[in-house]
Amino acid sequence: MTAATARAYPNIALVKYWGKQDAALNLPATGSLSLTLDVFPTTTTVELVDGPEDAFELNGGVATGTPAARVVAFLDLVRERAGSTARARVTSVNAGPTGAGLASSASGFAALAAAASAAYGLPLDAPSLSRLARRGSGSAARSILPGVSVWHAGDDESSYAEPVASPELAMVVATVDGGPKAVSSREAMNRTAATSPYYDGWVTSTRATLDEMVAAAERGDYTRMGELTELSALRMHASIQACDPPVRYLAPASVALFDRVAALRSEGVEAYATADAGPNVVALCRPQDRDAVADALRGSGLAGEVTVAGSGPGVEVTDGRAGAAS
Ligand code: 2P0
Protein backbone atom coordinates (compact mmCIF):
# COMPACT_ATOMS: atom_id res chain seq x y z
CA MET A 1 0.00 0.00 0.00
CA THR A 2 1.33 3.43 -0.93
CA ALA A 3 0.75 6.58 1.08
CA ALA A 4 2.19 10.08 1.10
CA THR A 5 1.68 13.27 3.09
CA ALA A 6 2.28 16.82 1.88
CA ARG A 7 2.00 20.29 3.37
CA ALA A 8 1.23 23.51 1.50
CA TYR A 9 0.51 27.10 2.50
CA PRO A 10 -2.10 29.54 1.21
CA ASN A 11 -1.13 32.46 -0.99
CA ILE A 12 -2.54 35.95 -1.39
CA ALA A 13 -2.48 37.52 -4.85
CA LEU A 14 -0.99 40.96 -5.41
CA VAL A 15 -2.23 40.78 -9.01
CA LYS A 16 -5.51 38.88 -8.90
CA TYR A 17 -6.69 35.92 -10.97
CA TRP A 18 -10.34 36.51 -11.88
CA GLY A 19 -11.63 34.77 -15.00
CA LYS A 20 -10.84 31.75 -17.16
CA GLN A 21 -10.04 31.27 -20.79
CA ASP A 22 -10.75 27.53 -20.50
CA ALA A 23 -12.89 26.14 -17.68
CA ALA A 24 -12.17 22.45 -18.42
CA LEU A 25 -8.39 22.89 -18.23
CA ASN A 26 -8.70 25.72 -15.67
CA LEU A 27 -6.60 28.09 -17.75
CA PRO A 28 -6.75 31.69 -16.51
CA ALA A 29 -7.66 34.63 -18.73
CA THR A 30 -4.57 36.45 -17.43
CA GLY A 31 -1.48 35.72 -15.40
CA SER A 32 -1.39 36.59 -11.70
CA LEU A 33 1.24 37.11 -8.99
CA SER A 34 1.12 36.20 -5.31
CA LEU A 35 2.95 35.75 -2.03
CA THR A 36 2.84 32.29 -0.44
CA LEU A 37 2.35 32.78 3.31
CA ASP A 38 3.93 31.04 6.31
CA VAL A 39 0.62 30.64 8.23
CA PHE A 40 -2.50 28.42 7.89
CA PRO A 41 -0.97 25.37 6.15
CA THR A 42 -2.99 22.44 4.84
CA THR A 43 -1.62 18.96 5.53
CA THR A 44 -2.97 16.18 3.33
CA THR A 45 -2.39 12.43 3.25
CA VAL A 46 -3.28 10.29 0.24
CA GLU A 47 -3.36 6.56 0.86
CA LEU A 48 -4.10 4.10 -1.91
CA VAL A 49 -6.76 1.58 -0.84
CA ASP A 50 -8.37 -1.59 -2.15
CA GLY A 51 -11.98 -0.39 -1.85
CA PRO A 52 -14.33 0.61 -4.69
CA GLU A 53 -14.55 4.33 -3.87
CA ASP A 54 -12.47 7.32 -2.86
CA ALA A 55 -12.97 8.70 0.64
CA PHE A 56 -12.30 12.31 1.70
CA GLU A 57 -12.03 13.43 5.29
CA LEU A 58 -11.62 17.17 5.93
CA ASN A 59 -10.77 18.61 9.35
CA GLY A 60 -11.81 15.38 11.07
CA GLY A 61 -15.20 14.93 9.37
CA VAL A 62 -16.36 13.05 6.27
CA ALA A 63 -16.67 15.54 3.40
CA THR A 64 -19.57 15.27 0.97
CA GLY A 65 -21.14 17.36 -1.80
CA THR A 66 -19.07 19.71 -3.95
CA PRO A 67 -15.81 19.54 -1.94
CA ALA A 68 -15.81 15.73 -2.15
CA ALA A 69 -16.78 15.75 -5.85
CA ARG A 70 -13.89 18.12 -6.64
CA VAL A 71 -11.42 15.83 -4.85
CA VAL A 72 -12.71 12.75 -6.71
CA ALA A 73 -12.51 14.56 -10.07
CA PHE A 74 -8.96 15.57 -9.22
CA LEU A 75 -8.01 12.00 -8.27
CA ASP A 76 -9.54 10.79 -11.56
CA LEU A 77 -7.13 13.09 -13.39
CA VAL A 78 -4.20 11.80 -11.35
CA ARG A 79 -5.23 8.17 -12.02
CA GLU A 80 -5.56 8.85 -15.74
CA ARG A 81 -2.01 10.26 -15.84
CA ALA A 82 -0.62 7.47 -13.65
CA GLY A 83 -2.43 4.68 -15.51
CA SER A 84 -3.92 3.49 -12.24
CA THR A 85 -7.38 2.43 -11.11
CA ALA A 86 -6.53 2.44 -7.39
CA ARG A 87 -8.90 4.39 -5.17
CA ALA A 88 -7.61 6.60 -2.39
CA ARG A 89 -8.38 7.70 1.12
CA VAL A 90 -7.64 11.44 1.42
CA THR A 91 -7.28 13.01 4.84
CA SER A 92 -6.83 16.78 4.97
CA VAL A 93 -6.49 19.27 7.80
CA ASN A 94 -6.52 23.06 7.43
CA ALA A 95 -4.72 24.95 10.18
CA GLY A 96 -6.68 28.06 9.16
CA PRO A 97 -10.36 28.68 8.42
CA THR A 98 -11.93 26.71 5.54
CA GLY A 99 -13.91 28.38 2.74
CA ALA A 100 -13.70 31.81 4.36
CA GLY A 101 -11.85 33.59 1.59
CA LEU A 102 -8.47 32.76 3.13
CA ALA A 103 -7.25 30.68 0.24
CA SER A 104 -7.91 27.25 1.78
CA SER A 105 -8.60 25.87 -1.71
CA ALA A 106 -5.13 27.06 -2.80
CA SER A 107 -3.27 25.33 0.02
CA GLY A 108 -5.69 22.39 -0.19
CA PHE A 109 -5.23 21.53 -3.84
CA ALA A 110 -1.48 22.25 -3.70
CA ALA A 111 -1.09 19.77 -0.84
CA LEU A 112 -3.38 17.27 -2.59
CA ALA A 113 -1.45 17.57 -5.86
CA ALA A 114 1.85 16.79 -4.12
CA ALA A 115 0.54 14.00 -1.88
CA ALA A 116 -1.37 12.35 -4.75
CA SER A 117 1.60 12.68 -7.12
CA ALA A 118 3.87 11.03 -4.56
CA ALA A 119 1.37 8.26 -3.80
CA TYR A 120 0.55 7.48 -7.46
CA GLY A 121 4.11 7.93 -8.72
CA LEU A 122 3.70 11.08 -10.84
CA PRO A 123 6.51 13.66 -11.28
CA LEU A 124 7.24 15.87 -8.29
CA ASP A 125 9.05 18.78 -9.96
CA ALA A 126 7.52 22.21 -9.34
CA PRO A 127 6.19 22.90 -12.87
CA SER A 128 4.47 19.49 -13.01
CA LEU A 129 2.93 19.95 -9.56
CA SER A 130 1.86 23.51 -10.38
CA ARG A 131 0.19 22.45 -13.64
CA LEU A 132 -1.60 19.64 -11.82
CA ALA A 133 -2.65 21.78 -8.82
CA ARG A 134 -4.10 24.32 -11.28
CA ARG A 135 -6.67 21.72 -12.38
CA GLY A 136 -7.98 21.47 -8.81
CA SER A 137 -8.11 25.22 -8.15
CA GLY A 138 -6.42 27.94 -10.16
CA SER A 139 -4.84 29.73 -7.24
CA ALA A 140 -3.36 26.41 -6.03
CA ALA A 141 -0.89 26.59 -8.93
CA ARG A 142 0.85 29.40 -7.02
CA SER A 143 0.92 27.62 -3.62
CA ILE A 144 3.36 25.05 -5.04
CA LEU A 145 6.01 27.81 -5.06
CA PRO A 146 7.58 29.60 -2.07
CA GLY A 147 7.45 33.38 -1.66
CA VAL A 148 6.53 35.51 -4.65
CA SER A 149 5.51 33.67 -7.81
CA VAL A 150 3.84 34.44 -11.11
CA TRP A 151 1.29 32.02 -12.55
CA HIS A 152 1.35 32.30 -16.32
CA ALA A 153 -1.67 32.34 -18.55
CA GLY A 154 -1.07 30.08 -21.52
CA ASP A 155 -1.96 26.58 -22.62
CA ASP A 156 -2.12 23.37 -20.61
CA GLU A 157 1.65 22.90 -20.96
CA SER A 158 2.78 26.42 -20.16
CA SER A 159 0.26 27.58 -17.52
CA TYR A 160 2.13 27.06 -14.24
CA ALA A 161 3.74 29.20 -11.55
CA GLU A 162 7.39 30.26 -11.43
CA PRO A 163 9.42 32.20 -8.87
CA VAL A 164 9.87 35.97 -9.17
CA ALA A 165 12.71 37.94 -7.55
CA SER A 166 11.17 40.35 -5.05
CA PRO A 167 11.95 42.44 -2.01
CA GLU A 168 11.00 40.74 1.28
CA LEU A 169 7.29 41.17 1.98
CA ALA A 170 4.96 40.59 4.91
CA MET A 171 1.18 40.47 5.19
CA VAL A 172 -1.24 41.12 8.01
CA VAL A 173 -4.50 39.20 7.63
CA ALA A 174 -7.51 40.90 9.24
CA THR A 175 -10.63 38.75 9.37
CA VAL A 176 -13.98 40.50 9.05
CA ASP A 177 -17.14 38.66 9.92
CA GLY A 178 -19.24 38.99 6.83
CA GLY A 179 -21.36 35.90 7.50
CA PRO A 180 -21.18 32.85 5.26
CA LYS A 181 -19.93 33.42 1.75
CA ALA A 182 -22.98 34.17 -0.39
CA VAL A 183 -21.50 33.18 -3.74
CA SER A 184 -18.49 30.91 -4.28
CA SER A 185 -15.50 32.47 -6.02
CA ARG A 186 -15.84 29.99 -8.88
CA GLU A 187 -19.47 30.95 -9.51
CA ALA A 188 -18.79 34.68 -9.11
CA MET A 189 -15.83 34.44 -11.48
CA ASN A 190 -17.97 32.80 -14.15
CA ARG A 191 -20.77 35.31 -13.60
CA THR A 192 -18.37 38.23 -13.89
CA ALA A 193 -17.03 36.95 -17.20
CA ALA A 194 -20.56 36.33 -18.52
CA THR A 195 -22.32 39.50 -17.36
CA SER A 196 -20.00 42.25 -16.09
CA PRO A 197 -19.57 45.06 -18.63
CA TYR A 198 -16.19 45.74 -17.01
CA TYR A 199 -14.80 42.22 -17.51
CA ASP A 200 -13.03 42.98 -20.79
CA GLY A 201 -11.44 46.04 -19.22
CA TRP A 202 -10.37 43.95 -16.25
CA VAL A 203 -8.64 41.38 -18.48
CA THR A 204 -6.92 43.97 -20.67
CA SER A 205 -5.74 46.10 -17.76
CA THR A 206 -4.59 43.12 -15.69
CA ARG A 207 -2.16 42.04 -18.41
CA ALA A 208 -0.53 45.47 -18.14
CA THR A 209 -0.68 45.46 -14.33
CA LEU A 210 1.06 42.09 -14.20
CA ASP A 211 3.88 43.19 -16.50
CA GLU A 212 4.37 46.29 -14.38
CA MET A 213 4.24 44.28 -11.14
CA VAL A 214 6.88 41.78 -12.26
CA ALA A 215 9.14 44.64 -13.33
CA ALA A 216 8.59 46.44 -9.99
CA ALA A 217 9.35 43.24 -8.05
CA GLU A 218 12.52 42.56 -10.01
CA ARG A 219 13.88 46.07 -9.45
CA GLY A 220 12.94 45.93 -5.75
CA ASP A 221 10.37 48.74 -5.98
CA TYR A 222 8.20 47.98 -2.96
CA THR A 223 6.17 51.19 -3.30
CA ARG A 224 5.02 50.45 -6.85
CA MET A 225 4.27 46.85 -5.86
CA GLY A 226 2.02 48.14 -3.09
CA GLU A 227 0.24 50.64 -5.33
CA LEU A 228 -0.41 47.97 -7.96
CA THR A 229 -1.66 45.56 -5.27
CA GLU A 230 -4.43 47.94 -4.20
CA LEU A 231 -5.21 48.77 -7.82
CA SER A 232 -5.61 45.11 -8.79
CA ALA A 233 -7.85 44.35 -5.80
CA LEU A 234 -10.14 47.34 -6.31
CA ARG A 235 -10.42 46.77 -10.06
CA MET A 236 -11.32 43.13 -9.44
CA HIS A 237 -14.00 44.07 -6.90
CA ALA A 238 -15.35 46.76 -9.23
CA SER A 239 -15.81 44.23 -12.02
CA ILE A 240 -17.41 41.70 -9.62
CA GLN A 241 -19.85 44.28 -8.25
CA ALA A 242 -20.97 45.06 -11.80
CA CYS A 243 -22.14 41.55 -12.66
CA ASP A 244 -25.82 40.59 -12.93
CA PRO A 245 -27.07 39.74 -10.35
CA PRO A 246 -24.34 41.69 -8.53
CA VAL A 247 -21.94 40.19 -6.02
CA ARG A 248 -20.48 42.36 -3.28
CA TYR A 249 -17.82 40.68 -1.16
CA LEU A 250 -16.60 43.76 0.72
CA ALA A 251 -18.44 44.53 3.97
CA PRO A 252 -18.58 48.02 5.50
CA ALA A 253 -15.74 47.04 7.86
CA SER A 254 -13.68 45.87 4.86
CA VAL A 255 -13.96 49.28 3.22
CA ALA A 256 -13.15 50.96 6.54
CA LEU A 257 -10.02 48.79 6.80
CA PHE A 258 -8.88 49.97 3.36
CA ASP A 259 -9.26 53.53 4.74
CA ARG A 260 -7.34 52.61 7.90
CA VAL A 261 -4.48 51.21 5.80
CA ALA A 262 -4.44 54.42 3.72
CA ALA A 263 -4.29 56.43 6.98
CA LEU A 264 -1.33 54.30 8.10
CA ARG A 265 0.50 55.38 4.94
CA SER A 266 -0.07 59.03 5.73
CA GLU A 267 1.31 58.29 9.23
CA GLY A 268 4.50 56.93 7.63
CA VAL A 269 3.87 53.16 7.69
CA GLU A 270 3.80 52.06 4.07
CA ALA A 271 1.07 49.41 3.95
CA TYR A 272 -1.35 48.59 1.13
CA ALA A 273 -4.66 46.74 1.31
CA THR A 274 -6.06 43.87 -0.71
CA ALA A 275 -9.08 41.57 -0.41
CA ASP A 276 -10.13 38.33 -2.10
CA ALA A 277 -13.58 36.80 -2.64
CA GLY A 278 -14.78 37.66 0.86
CA PRO A 279 -14.81 40.48 3.40
CA ASN A 280 -11.38 39.84 4.95
CA VAL A 281 -8.68 42.42 4.32
CA VAL A 282 -4.98 41.68 3.97
CA ALA A 283 -2.42 44.45 4.43
CA LEU A 284 0.83 44.17 2.48
CA CYS A 285 3.81 45.71 4.27
CA ARG A 286 7.56 45.56 4.70
CA PRO A 287 8.67 42.89 7.21
CA GLN A 288 9.91 45.50 9.71
CA ASP A 289 6.47 47.16 9.77
CA ARG A 290 4.37 44.05 10.33
CA ASP A 291 3.86 44.47 14.08
CA ALA A 292 2.98 48.17 13.73
CA VAL A 293 0.43 47.29 11.02
CA ALA A 294 -1.02 44.46 13.12
CA ASP A 295 -1.33 46.74 16.18
CA ALA A 296 -3.09 49.39 14.10
CA LEU A 297 -5.57 46.92 12.60
CA ARG A 298 -6.25 45.34 16.02
CA GLY A 299 -6.74 48.80 17.51
CA SER A 300 -9.14 49.83 14.76
CA GLY A 301 -11.95 47.73 16.23
CA LEU A 302 -12.85 46.73 12.66
CA ALA A 303 -11.28 43.26 12.57
CA GLY A 304 -11.76 39.99 14.40
CA GLU A 305 -8.60 37.87 14.31
CA VAL A 306 -5.46 39.64 13.09
CA THR A 307 -2.64 37.34 11.94
CA VAL A 308 0.88 38.34 10.94
CA ALA A 309 2.40 36.37 8.06
CA GLY A 310 5.71 36.33 6.23
CA SER A 311 6.97 34.70 3.08
CA GLY A 312 6.26 30.98 3.27
CA PRO A 313 7.72 27.78 1.79
CA GLY A 314 6.62 25.89 -1.27
CA VAL A 315 4.78 22.60 -1.07
CA GLU A 316 6.68 19.80 0.60
CA VAL A 317 6.16 16.03 0.67
CA THR A 318 6.75 15.35 4.35
CA ASP A 319 6.19 11.62 4.45
CA GLY A 320 6.03 8.75 1.98
CA ARG A 321 7.87 7.96 -1.18
CA ALA A 322 7.06 8.29 -4.82
CA GLY A 323 6.01 4.81 -5.78
CA ALA A 324 4.22 2.98 -8.53
CA ALA A 325 0.49 2.94 -8.01
CA SER A 326 -0.78 -0.42 -6.86
C1 2P0 B 1 -6.68 35.02 -6.57
N1 2P0 B 1 -9.02 34.33 -6.11
O1 2P0 B 1 -5.91 35.42 -7.47
C2 2P0 B 1 -8.16 35.30 -6.73
C3 2P0 B 1 -8.52 36.61 -6.12
C4 2P0 B 1 -9.98 34.96 -5.24
C5 2P0 B 1 -9.85 36.41 -5.45
O2 2P0 B 1 -8.11 32.61 -7.10
O3 2P0 B 1 -12.28 28.27 -9.96
O4 2P0 B 1 -10.55 29.10 -5.90
O5 2P0 B 1 -10.87 26.99 -8.35
O6 2P0 B 1 -9.82 28.20 -10.26
O7 2P0 B 1 -8.56 29.60 -7.38
C6 2P0 B 1 -10.08 32.14 -5.99
O8 2P0 B 1 -10.39 31.32 -7.04
O9 2P0 B 1 -10.87 29.46 -8.39
C7 2P0 B 1 -9.01 33.04 -6.44
P1 2P0 B 1 -10.96 28.17 -9.28
P2 2P0 B 1 -10.00 29.78 -7.11
O10 2P0 B 1 -6.25 34.46 -5.53
Side-chain angles (χ1 to χ4, degrees), residues 13 17 20 26 70 105 137-139 142 185-186 189 276:
Y17 149 54
K20 302 170 198 272
N26 221 21
R70 282 178 68 175
S105 75
S137 197
S139 51
R142 303 185 308 238
S185 56
R186 184 164 286 193
M189 202 182 283
D276 286 333

Side-chain angles (χ1 to χ4, degrees), residues 11-20 23 26-28 31-34 70 101 103-106 109 133-142 151 181 184-187 189-190 202 232-233 236-237 240 249 274-278:
N11 68 78
I12 299 292
L14 284 68
V15 176
K16 303 298 188 191
Y17 149 54
W18 198 259
K20 302 170 198 272
N26 221 21
L27 297 171
S32 56
L33 180 141
S34 67
R70 282 178 68 175
S104 57
S105 75
F109 277 102
R134 184 195 85 222
R135 298 288 292 269
S137 197
S139 51
R142 303 185 308 238
W151 167 30
K181 212 187 223 186
S184 73
S185 56
R186 184 164 286 193
E187 185 186 333
M189 202 182 283
N190 292 337
W202 159 254
S232 179
M236 179 189 76
H237 283 280
I240 295 170
Y249 284 122
T274 186
D276 286 333

Side-chain angles (χ1 to χ4, degrees), residues 83-130:
S84 169
T85 56
R87 302 286 138 179
R89 179 181 303 130
V90 178
T91 312
S92 192
V93 176
N94 291 326
T98 299
L102 281 175
S104 57
S105 75
S107 54
F109 277 102
L112 179 60
S117 291
Y120 281 92
L122 291 181
L124 292 169
D125 59 286
S128 297
L129 289 179
S130 181

